[in-house]
Amino acid sequence: MKPLAVAILGATLIFQQALLAPLFAAGSAARADSASRRFDVAGGPLGQVLGQYASQADVVLSFDASLTTGRHSDGLNGSYGIAEGFARILAGSGLEVRFVDERTVLLQKVPEDSAVVSLDAMRVEDNALGTITEQTKSYTPGTIATATRLVLTPRETPQTVTVVTRQHMDDFNLTNINKVMDHTPGITRHGTDNFRSYYYARGYQIQNFQYDGIPVLTGTDMGNTSVDMIQYDRIEVIKGASGLTTGAGAPGATINLVRKKPTHEFSGHATAEYGRWDNYRTEWDVGGPLNESGSVRGRFATAFQDQQSFMDHFKEQTRALYGILEVDLSSQTLWTIGANYDKRIPTGNNWAGTPVFDSHNNEINTSRSFNPGATWSRAEQFSHAFFTQLDHEFDNGWNSRIYYTFQRNAYDANLGSIKSIPSADNGSATLQSGQYRTKIRTQALEAYARGPFELFGRTHELAVGVSGYHNHLKGSGHNSVRTTINFWDWNGRIERPDWGGIRYRTEDRVNQRAYYASGRFSLTDDLAVILGGRVTNYRRGGDSNMRETGEVVPFAGITYDLNDNFSLYASYTKIFQPQSARDENYAVLDPDEGDSYEGGLKGEWFNGRLNASLAYFEIRQDNRAEFVGWNAERNYSMYEGKKAKTKGIELEISGELMPGWNIQAGFTHQVIREDETNEKLTTFEPENQFKLYTTYRLPGRFSRITIGGGGSYQGTTWRDGTDVLGNEHQYRQEAFWLVNLMGKYQITDNLSATLNINNLFDKYYYSNYGEVWTGVATKTYGEPRNMMLTTRWDF
């Protein structure tokens, strides 16, 4: 380890406590109950449950037995602070505990003048977007609101929603969104080169991104695929079309990034990390009350990473800053304001991978470390965002939110990479270079309200809202320069050319306005129906003129409880996706429209600590854009609209199999065919995919040790194309496994060390194979075996 890095990382841990802790001194009454510990208390009479919990918490609990007579509790299982555990056991009982000192606790009735305040504060914090996963130690969420705007459990939601929780990210060192997607069941990732990634679900590229449940259109090359996870509590992936909450969008999936919240007590963590290829990383994350009453709370998080690569002369730095402030304007009103900053600075970028064939049609065999990019080639990406929201709880159980965000994403690239077929005789090839800049400014405003209502003697739920966003993209490109080099002697060193003046400019504006509503109607104790719809006005200007007014996207879902553990469900929604792809006449394709269906079985055990689902899905498209060739004269990809049908099944399980044993796993099978010819489409996506990740905390005297691991299986993929001589050729990658391991040792109550090993058996595989760029088929290797050691201090 480099001495400078040692000094920096060491200073991080020292300055974290010395400089930042005093800022939160007002709320750092450092009670012994703030540290989380694990509890396993079975349900039963409330008095009995409280006695078992107090024994496990090592506190003395005093109470009048009449307070608990006739009351029951579901118990408690998981890791919590002592006060938080009491609060969860007593939720809704009208009782609370008071700490006489650190180890003496009294049970009492909630004072009438504070009952509403306590309940409302919890509602505002926990129920706006679903359950916060941080500190739950869980691999499954409690509730989610992404799919329908209604706060529902996974079992109550009539769609597949996959959640990667904070605990899963911490266990497997998932520090950026690429790593999270690699672990997410049903998602595949294509690394086109060493700075761009594209995500796919159910055979479709994911283009829909939400932040805190609010759709933001920024483009997949504009920083969305390089965000740092230091800022986020969890990542939710809504499988299938999500027209009810997103509006215009692709039918594969929607990714929702849910930000961390300030904590009510002073807490945080710092890390020092080191891994293969001189990979250094450090994190600071601290939060707590900023005044004596705790009505103002803040949180600040930052991460810095500097790493080399398995590829020659490629390295990158990533920087992330995140800050959020919450203010209780009253017992029922919460104001939130925050901002984040992400920047990725790579050097030595390649550009669409390495050519597959030489001029004699021989496949080129290079090492995984070969980098076709120049040493000065770089493509910086960054994202800045400001957001604010106002939440209010009404006395009748309704709540409302007004949310505004401004986001700026940009891409600034000076690229140079080998993008031609090398000569088999003398190795001559062409280095293509260019300068490209693109920036997107997005503003989004959304307001919604939801709550219960009575009808025909039963309680139902309703959500109504309005939303709108404006997206403005500007881009420019300089003259492309081609330089002859020797492929076999290439080491990346070449003088950067003068690109001259700007060759082209591009501009695009998108405006979307929408009104939506969804209601969950409890027809019986076991049967519920969700009905909703979204009316969207879509307008696109700039280089692609398009206007769609009054586009109605309906949603319908149903759930039926078979028993205490299993439910049947089904859902339907319409697809509406405006497109930017152009046909052979350079005309923009009409919007892709169609229908998305899903149905299956959901299971829930241990009071929601373990969830599972089995889904059948079918997607029908009327105008799916399929690549048909490259127009060299006008320098663009040509597409044709086709009718297509996707069918598949998806099986998932997440949560706690038994105390200390977490799991997240999923299997997906999918096939996409063109309606007229029955030909398979998107064959570069695997028809079969399986992922499993699990951790287990050892019992008894070995409880400081956690072991875990998992892996992913990807079925055979292929692309039909031609070789250098014009013969038909299938670019095929056989099925493969990737296996990962992790181990954690809790050195003290606050200090831990975790080792993560990825690609344990050093499997050779491609993250992209056979994709054609400017007429040349390319390939990009996936990462070899690597490891990361993380020391973490929690306080």
Side-chain angles (χ1 to χ4, degrees):
M1 200 172 190
K2 296 178 181 178
L4 178 59
V6 173
I8 292 174
L9 298 180
T12 295
L13 297 175
I14 297 172
F15 290 153
Q16 170 71 50
Q17 178 71 2
L19 298 182
L20 295 181
L23 297 178
F24 297 87
S28 61
R31 289 217 316 256
D33 62 281
S34 62
S36 294
R37 63 176 71 182
R38 184 155 198 87
F39 297 98
D40 187 9
V41 181
L46 180 58
Q48 180 180 323
V49 170
L50 286 171
Q52 293 177 2
Y53 177 78
S55 177
Q56 293 185 24
D58 194 25
V59 298
V60 177
L61 175 65
S62 300
F63 63 95
D64 184 346
S66 64
L67 293 175
T68 61
T69 301
R71 299 180 185 272
H72 289 74
S73 170
D74 291 334
L76 187 72
N77 187 281
S79 294
Y80 305 95
I82 295 175
E84 182 186 9
F86 272 119
R88 287 178 178 268
I89 292 174
L90 296 171
S93 67
L95 304 174
E96 66 176 14
V97 294
R98 178 170 63 86
F99 281 80
V100 178
D101 56 39
E102 290 186 354
R103 289 289 171 260
T104 305
V105 184
L106 295 179
L107 181 70
Q108 61 187 22
K109 290 183 178 180
V110 176
E112 292 184 3
D113 60 349
S114 65
V116 174
V117 175
S118 176
L119 180 60
D120 286 344
M122 180 168 289
R123 280 180 182 165
V124 170
E125 177 183 299
D126 288 348
N127 287 348
L129 293 170
T131 308
I132 296 170
T133 69
E134 193 175 24
Q135 301 300 329
T136 65
K137 308 298 183 182
S138 176
Y139 275 30
T140 197
T143 57
I144 48 180
T146 308
T148 62
R149 278 286 179 266
L150 302 169
V151 181
L152 306 172
T153 67
R155 183 180 175 185
E156 294 170 333
T157 304
Q159 276 183 275
T160 300
V161 182
T162 304
V163 180
V164 179
T165 65
R166 186 69 253 173
Q167 186 63 44
H168 189 157
M169 289 189 273
D170 289 342
D171 284 344
F172 288 95
N173 195 41
L174 308 183
T175 53
N176 60 55
I177 193 170
N178 282 339
K179 293 181 179 180
V180 173
M181 292 299 103
D182 287 341
H183 275 235
T184 305
I187 304 298
T188 54
R189 178 173 68 92
H190 285 285
T192 301
D193 35 42
N194 55 12
F195 72 100
R196 288 181 294 184
S197 291
Y198 300 94
Y199 312 138
Y200 288 80
R202 298 184 174 179
Y204 301 87
Q205 184 183 341
I206 299 176
Q207 299 175 326
N208 306 329
F209 288 83
Q210 296 180 4
Y211 293 83
D212 290 336
I214 305 301
V216 176
L217 178 65
T218 57
T220 51
D221 289 343
M222 305 299 296
N224 279 332
T225 60
S226 59
V227 296
D228 196 285
M229 291 298 103
I230 186 67
Q231 311 160 60
Y232 300 104
D233 172 74
R234 63 191 182 275
I235 306 299
E236 301 175 345
V237 181
I238 315 167
K239 304 293 181 59
S242 58
L244 184 60
T245 57
T246 301
T254 296
I255 296 174
N256 181 30
L257 298 93
V258 183
R259 295 182 175 99
K260 292 178 176 178
K261 305 297 181 184
T263 54
H264 288 271
E265 296 179 345
F266 172 68
S267 63
H269 78 265
T271 69
E273 307 175 40
Y274 174 72
R276 191 181 181 189
W277 308 308
D278 286 335
N279 187 356
Y280 303 95
R281 178 180 172 89
T282 182
E283 296 179 0
W284 295 3
D285 186 351
V286 60
L290 297 175
N291 62 354
E292 187 173 356
S293 67
S295 62
V296 181
R297 301 170 296 279
R299 187 164 188 170
F300 173 78
T302 182
F304 175 80
Q305 190 160 353
D306 186 355
Q307 61 181 325
Q308 305 290 322
S309 168
F310 70 94
M311 300 188 72
D312 296 333
H313 60 266
F314 176 70
K315 60 183 179 180
E316 66 177 342
Q317 286 186 358
T318 56
R319 305 167 186 171
L321 293 170
Y322 171 64
I324 185 172
L325 186 71
E326 286 184 346
V327 181
D328 294 330
L329 300 181
S330 72
S331 63
Q332 295 173 278
T333 305
L334 174 68
W335 177 51
T336 304
I337 185 171
N340 70 274
Y341 166 91
D342 277 285
K343 188 168 187 178
R344 183 182 182 189
I345 310 172
T347 304
N349 287 127
N350 63 46
W351 191 5
T354 304
V356 175
F357 293 109
D358 65 19
S359 60
H360 287 181
N361 212 34
N362 300 312
E363 184 158 357
I364 299 172
N365 293 314
T366 58
S367 68
R368 287 182 289 186
S369 62
F370 180 80
N371 184 355
T375 54
W376 46 260
S377 182
R378 58 191 291 159
E380 294 185 11
Q381 300 178 42
F382 66 83
S383 173
H384 306 161
F386 163 82
F387 60 94
T388 185
Q389 66 189 45
L390 186 69
D391 294 272
H392 183 75
E393 291 279 347
F394 297 91
D395 292 335
N396 61 0
W398 276 67
N399 60 79
S400 65
R401 166 170 290 184
I402 301 174
Y403 187 103
Y404 169 79
T405 183
F406 172 83
Q407 189 161 321
R408 183 173 181 265
N409 291 49
Y411 169 93
D412 188 351
N414 300 323
L415 292 172
S417 189
I418 298 171
K419 297 188 71 174
S420 74
I421 299 169
S423 169
D425 299 321
N426 57 20
S428 64
T430 300
L431 180 85
Q432 183 173 331
S433 62
Q435 187 177 66
Y436 308 93
R437 292 191 175 98
T438 303
K439 62 181 179 181
I440 298 179
R441 293 182 178 178
T442 299
Q443 297 185 74
L445 177 65
E446 185 151 350
Y448 60 87
R450 62 183 169 219
F453 67 97
E454 300 291 328
L455 184 65
F456 301 125
R458 301 191 66 84
T459 301
H460 316 279
E461 297 172 79
L462 179 67
V464 294
V466 296
S467 73
Y469 70 69
H470 172 74
N471 188 76
H472 188 191
L473 176 149
K474 284 187 175 181
S476 64
H478 289 64
N479 291 315
S480 180
V481 176
R482 290 174 171 80
T483 307
T484 301
I485 56 94
N486 188 304
F487 183 85
W488 303 113
D489 294 336
W490 174 249
N491 58 14
R493 295 184 178 89
I494 191 172
E495 186 177 352
R496 190 172 69 176
D498 180 6
W499 292 293
I502 294 176
R503 180 168 61 93
Y504 71 86
R505 295 183 186 274
T506 184
E507 187 169 7
D508 195 14
R509 290 186 179 90
V510 175
N511 289 281
Q512 185 173 188
R513 304 288 184 269
Y515 311 89
Y516 62 86
S518 61
R520 185 175 189 267
F521 303 92
S522 299
L523 304 184
T524 70
D525 290 343
D526 299 322
L527 180 65
V529 173
I530 297 178
L531 299 175
R534 187 182 185 101
V535 180
T536 300
N537 297 322
Y538 183 93
R539 184 175 181 178
R540 188 168 192 167
D543 297 337
S544 306
N545 286 310
M546 183 186 307
R547 187 167 186 169
E548 300 287 339
T549 303
E551 187 69 33
V552 179
V553 178
F555 177 88
I558 185 171
T559 62
Y560 179 72
D561 295 339
L562 298 174
N563 52 40
D564 291 341
N565 300 113
F566 292 100
S567 298
L568 293 172
Y569 79 97
S571 63
Y572 161 81
T573 188
K574 183 180 176 182
I575 299 167
F576 170 62
Q577 182 187 13
Q579 304 186 91
S580 58
R582 297 178 182 270
D583 63 17
E584 58 184 6
N585 298 317
Y586 202 64
V588 177
L589 295 181
D590 291 335
D592 183 14
E593 299 186 76
D595 303 289
S596 177
Y597 304 87
E598 182 176 329
L601 181 70
K602 290 198 174 187
E604 178 187 84
W605 298 269
F606 313 129
N607 295 319
R609 296 195 304 274
L610 181 66
N611 289 283
S613 64
L614 172 62
Y616 169 81
F617 59 87
E618 186 171 311
I619 301 170
R620 300 174 182 176
Q621 294 173 277
D622 295 332
N623 198 38
R624 178 187 175 94
E626 284 294 319
F627 177 76
V628 294
W630 176 262
N631 187 310
E633 181 180 351
R634 300 194 65 170
N635 197 37
Y636 77 98
S637 297
M638 299 181 295
Y639 292 84
E640 179 183 348
K642 296 183 178 181
K643 287 183 176 291
K645 182 183 293 185
T646 303
K647 295 181 179 181
I649 59 171
E650 203 156 25
L651 174 64
E652 292 193 14
I653 184 170
S654 64
E656 194 174 52
L657 294 172
M658 58 180 288
W661 185 6
N662 282 321
I663 188 172
Q664 183 162 40
F667 170 77
T668 303
H669 171 76
Q670 64 195 18
V671 177
I672 306 176
R673 295 183 184 272
E674 185 182 355
D675 268 4
E676 295 180 0
T677 64
N678 208 36
E679 176 187 0
K680 288 184 178 180
L681 303 174
T682 318
T683 55
F684 58 87
E685 284 299 297
E687 292 185 1
N688 297 297
Q689 179 195 141
F690 175 72
K691 294 182 181 180
L692 184 152
Y693 293 95
T694 183
T695 60
Y696 180 63
R697 184 177 57 85
L698 301 182
R701 61 178 180 174
F702 300 107
S703 61
R704 291 186 177 273
I705 300 174
T706 300
I707 57 175
S712 60
Y713 167 83
Q714 177 175 303
T716 301
T717 59
W718 69 93
R719 295 177 188 266
D720 291 323
T722 60
D723 59 21
V724 173
L725 301 179
N727 303 314
E728 291 185 359
H729 184 82
Q730 189 176 88
Y731 297 87
R732 186 180 184 90
Q733 176 164 235
E734 299 299 332
F736 65 91
W737 278 91
L738 296 177
V739 178
N740 303 331
L741 290 181
M742 69 80 65
K744 176 182 176 181
Y745 181 66
Q746 195 70 40
I747 302 168
T748 68
D749 289 342
N750 302 100
L751 184 65
S752 64
T754 303
L755 178 66
N756 293 96
I757 304 176
N758 302 314
N759 194 1
L760 176 67
F761 300 113
D762 203 20
K763 177 69 179 179
Y764 279 68
Y765 69 100
Y766 298 108
S767 63
N768 209 337
Y769 186 64
E771 187 168 9
V772 176
W773 289 86
T774 61
V776 179
T778 62
K779 59 184 177 182
T780 302
Y781 281 110
E783 280 193 344
R785 178 172 51 234
N786 60 90
M787 58 193 69
M788 195 78 169
L789 177 63
T790 302
T791 56
R792 174 170 170 143
W793 176 44
D794 292 281
F795 51 89

